[in-house]
Amino acid sequence: MDKIAVLIPCYNEEQTIEKVVRDVREALPEAVIYVYDNNSTDRTAELAKAAGACICHEYRQGKGSVIRRMFREIEAECYLMIDGDDTYPLNCAKQMTDKVLNHNADMVVGDRLSSTYFTENKRPFHNFGNSLMRFGINRLFHTDVKDIMTGYRAFSYGFVKTFPVFSKGFEIETEMTIHAVNYNMQVENVVVEYRDRPEGSVSKLNTYSDGMRVIRKMLQLYRNYRPLHFFGMICLVLVALALVFMMPIFSEYFRTGLVPRFPTLIVCGFMILAGIQSFFAGMILEVMTAKDKRDFEYRLTRITAEKSEKTQCPGKSEGEK
């Protein structure tokens, strides 16, 4: 098991990957650097290997697929994930890994939004999207994560080995954040500098299509992790709409004794029934979510015991010898 593993997902980053690997080696000389090449058509893998990185491959396209492969294959006490586009200086790398190794953090978020992101980033819709996601997730999940979409993070062994990766693309960062918040894992924020990509380096993130996928993933996870809140809101909307349309009917009935709009009354009745059904569906799913959280704690305990065995067994063997 490595003490620190630096994970760098890459797709066509030949302009920057060599510098990133060199910077990581300077900032964390004790770390093992893994560059995962995701079907690059340029010299990314060749240059990364020449700089001293271990080269691995993921042939399914997408950042989520790469991270799934990384988390399955690499064993380390602390993981530092960074993009290969040279947008993150490494001066905070030591601080981030120390929070995992010495302060029991499960995930450390490299917070770009509190430093230079809005001045360095030249894509205004990305600025708006990052702010929107931060506001939405912090409000929906009652947390205070400073940067939801950052690709600069450190993880504990427990987080990596209990995190189920379902996303295929750039929505993976949102999934990581919500997973940590939902299971009450220790999340720390470290302010990091951000610099825009060097000239000639092209972002793989599509502002609109990837942005919509991120928003859809946030709502999907909110439904999965907070089902009573999600279906309770649907219930509230349906019942409120039904009452709005029923009030004139009841008013006329009390005034004249007649019900002139039976179809509207019937539809409103079905809307109330649908709202009640939605509420009870949310209650049932909330019980299942509570059971999942208990099961997660058992899994986390087993993972922690496995980590202790892997880190202590070599020492015991030496002692026995």
Side-chain angles (χ1 to χ4, degrees):
M1 177 180 285
D2 303 323
K3 184 74 173 178
I4 300 174
V6 178
L7 310 180
I8 309 177
C10 275
Y11 173 63
N12 289 345
E13 300 288 3
E14 68 175 0
Q15 286 197 318
T16 55
I17 186 59
E18 194 171 10
K19 180 179 182 300
V20 171
V21 173
R22 287 200 309 268
D23 289 349
V24 171
R25 191 164 298 284
E26 182 179 345
L28 297 169
E30 72 276 27
V32 182
I33 305 171
Y34 297 91
V35 171
Y36 272 72
D37 180 54
N38 193 206
N39 301 314
S40 295
T41 56
D42 59 10
R43 300 172 61 226
T44 295
E46 177 186 343
L47 294 173
K49 185 175 182 180
C54 301
I55 307 301
C56 307
H57 297 274
E58 171 54 47
Y59 299 103
R60 291 173 298 175
Q61 201 66 38
K63 188 173 183 179
S65 300
V66 179
I67 291 174
R68 181 187 293 112
R69 179 70 60 188
M70 288 175 166
F71 285 4
R72 286 179 181 176
E73 294 181 348
I74 306 302
E75 302 277 325
E77 294 182 49
C78 174
Y79 301 77
L80 181 71
M81 186 178 73
I82 188 168
D83 293 336
D85 55 9
D86 194 32
T87 55
Y88 301 106
L90 272 296
N91 56 335
C92 292
K94 188 68 175 174
Q95 182 184 359
M96 293 174 70
T97 55
D98 282 346
K99 283 186 176 292
V100 173
L101 293 171
N102 302 319
H103 296 275
N104 299 326
D106 290 297
M107 182 172 72
V108 182
V109 175
D111 173 19
R112 311 159 298 169
L113 304 188
S114 299
S115 62
T116 56
Y117 183 79
F118 293 109
T119 55
E120 285 287 321
N121 184 49
K122 304 301 189 295
R123 294 158 292 184
F125 283 108
H126 287 205
N127 296 341
F128 172 75
N130 273 279
S131 299
L132 177 65
M133 290 302 298
R134 177 173 62 177
F135 174 80
I137 288 178
N138 285 335
R139 288 297 298 273
L140 290 175
F141 290 90
H142 307 292
T143 187
D144 188 29
V145 179
K146 300 297 185 182
D147 191 346
I148 305 299
M149 303 297 298
T150 180
Y152 193 10
R153 298 171 188 247
F155 308 102
S156 68
Y157 181 84
F159 179 94
V160 166
K161 297 306 178 182
T162 59
F163 174 54
V165 182
F166 296 109
S167 301
K168 296 180 180 179
F170 288 98
E171 64 272 26
I172 183 68
E173 282 93 358
T174 303
E175 189 176 4
M176 287 176 176
T177 303
I178 295 176
H179 173 80
V181 169
N182 180 67
Y183 290 110
N184 198 30
M185 303 183 103
Q186 184 175 332
V187 180
E188 302 281 350
N189 298 285
V190 171
V191 177
V192 300
E193 294 181 6
Y194 176 87
R195 56 194 175 209
D196 204 12
R197 281 174 170 268
E199 188 175 352
S201 177
V202 180
S203 173
K204 316 306 182 298
L205 179 65
N206 185 290
T207 302
Y208 302 104
S209 62
D210 287 317
M212 289 304 299
R213 276 198 289 267
V214 167
I215 293 173
R216 186 164 63 245
K217 174 60 68 173
M218 178 183 69
L219 295 175
Q220 179 189 29
L221 292 173
Y222 184 64
R223 180 199 64 195
N224 294 345
Y225 291 149
R226 299 287 193 273
L228 185 57
H229 294 176
F230 182 85
F231 289 101
M233 286 192 293
I234 294 177
C235 168
L236 185 63
V237 170
L238 289 172
V239 172
L241 286 173
L243 291 176
V244 167
F245 286 105
M246 288 175 69
M247 285 176 63
I249 297 174
F250 279 117
S251 176
E252 191 166 349
Y253 172 77
F254 288 129
R255 192 175 67 254
T256 65
L258 301 174
V259 182
R261 289 179 288 175
F262 268 108
T264 302
L265 185 62
I266 293 171
V267 170
C268 289
F270 277 113
M271 288 176 67
I272 291 176
L273 289 175
I276 295 172
Q277 185 178 26
S278 177
F279 176 75
F280 280 102
M283 288 185 64
I284 294 169
L285 292 172
E286 188 77 10
V287 172
M288 295 175 66
T289 300
K291 181 181 182 301
D292 175 66
K293 287 184 177 181
R294 289 195 298 271
D295 293 341
F296 175 81
E297 291 299 322
Y298 297 140
R299 292 198 304 273
L300 188 59
T301 300
R302 288 201 306 269
I303 291 293
T304 304
E306 289 175 10
K307 177 192 171 186
S308 297
E309 290 176 4
K310 290 177 181 179
T311 54
Q312 293 175 9
C313 280
K316 291 180 180 178
S317 297
E318 292 297 325
E320 290 171 0
K321 290 179 181 179

